[in-house]
Amino acid sequence: MRKILSVLLVSLLIFSFASCGSEKNISQGSGEENTEISNILIVYFSRWGNTDYPDDVDATTSASIVPDGDGRYGTTEYIANMIADEVGGDLHLIETVMPYTADFDELRDVNHGEMERNYLPGLKESNLDIAGYEVVFVGYPVWATDVPQAVLSFLNEYDLSGKTVIPFCTHDGYGAGHSYQTVADASRAAVSLDGIAIEAKDVPGAQDTVSDWLADIGISGSQEQDVARNKSIFSADDFHVRI
Ligand SMILES: Cc1cc2nc3c(=O)[nH]c(=O)nc-3n(C[C@H](O)[C@H](O)[C@H](O)COP(=O)(O)O)c2cc1C
């Protein structure tokens, strides 16, 4: 009975989602031209951009820095950029007011402490206007088999209810852990997909994996596919549905 109810709820949400007149690539797939207005947000947290690294930090020995050409990127940031390259959308780095330590062991302890206290670190002021987005990718490095607390700060501060939330994460071999469920719960999204988890060592070569995943969930580089239309490829159990 619960399963039937879930399927009905998913159908209802998909229908209302598809019929609410989206601005771009999540409109019902009718072959209409898409407008240039982006309604996809790719928000992410990475150590890079949130850490007091010394100026001479050696990117080649740091698991959390991906060197590419003249640039350096966070591991999760690198995937965020791949998603943006494929589907467009706006990028937003979650930045804490207080940077985190560069020392891994210290950071592990800090994170455990924050998790135990359910502490939500303060975020830097930003002029992000979340209201205009229908699809929000949420990216993060897996910390202690879950999301970093800064991601919870973001989900607490910004209202994602009624939106489609798609998590993506990087990790060092242990996968996404509890993080998808945490994102679904904390975001209060209308629909929250189980996302993609990419091991840090695979990140530089992950473009095809990311492309295939985006195609699977119905958001392609052509921006003509449609999340709602392609949701039928998932079973109700693939979604965390909120009412
Ligand atoms: C405090 C902390 C906790 C971590 N916990 C996990 C974990 O539970 N499982 C895992 O596979 N990797 C874990 N990692 C590794 C990171 O998820 C991985 O290196 C990630 O790709 C870093 O992404 P970033 O460069 O965007 O910060 C942890 C890293 C840190 C710093």
Side-chain angles (χ1 to χ4, degrees), residues 10-58:
V10 170
S11 308
L12 190 65
L13 276 163
I14 290 169
F15 178 76
S16 47
F17 181 76
S19 60
C20 68
S22 60
E23 292 167 291
K24 197 176 68 171
N25 44 330
I26 55 170
S27 59
Q28 191 73 8
S30 60
E32 295 165 30
E33 277 301 304
N34 296 316
T35 73
E36 292 301 312
I37 303 164
S38 171
N39 57 12
I40 296 177
L41 175 66
I42 303 154
V43 58
Y44 65 95
F45 178 82
S46 251
R47 281 181 83 192
W48 187 250
N50 278 290
T51 302
D52 258 340
Y53 285 117
D55 290 342
D56 61 348
V57 63
D58 183 358

Side-chain angles (χ1 to χ4, degrees), residues 44-48 51 53 62-66 73-78 101 103-112 139-146 148 169-177 198-201 203:
Y44 65 95
F45 178 82
S46 251
R47 281 181 83 192
W48 187 250
T51 302
Y53 285 117
S62 169
S64 282
I65 302 174
V66 183
Y73 302 86
T75 321
T76 309
E77 179 182 37
Y78 207 77
T101 172
D103 183 281
F104 181 89
D105 290 342
E106 269 179 41
L107 177 57
R108 188 193 50 215
D109 293 346
V110 167
N111 180 53
H112 282 155
Y140 48 87
V142 177
W143 282 7
T145 69
D146 219 318
C169 60
T170 65
H171 60 90
D172 277 353
Y174 298 96
I198 299 178
E199 192 167 347
K201 69 175 174 53
V203 161

Side-chain angles (χ1 to χ4, degrees), residues 5 23 97 105 114 131-132 157-158 174 181 217 233 242:
L5 201 58
E23 292 167 291
V97 175
D105 290 342
E114 288 188 352
E157 199 167 306
Y158 292 89
Y174 298 96
Q181 189 61 53
I217 62 172
I233 65 174
R242 298 218 152 256

Side-chain angles (χ1 to χ4, degrees), residues 93-105:
L93 169 68
I94 299 172
E95 275 184 282
T96 55
V97 175
M98 297 294 290
Y100 284 96
T101 172
D103 183 281
F104 181 89
D105 290 342

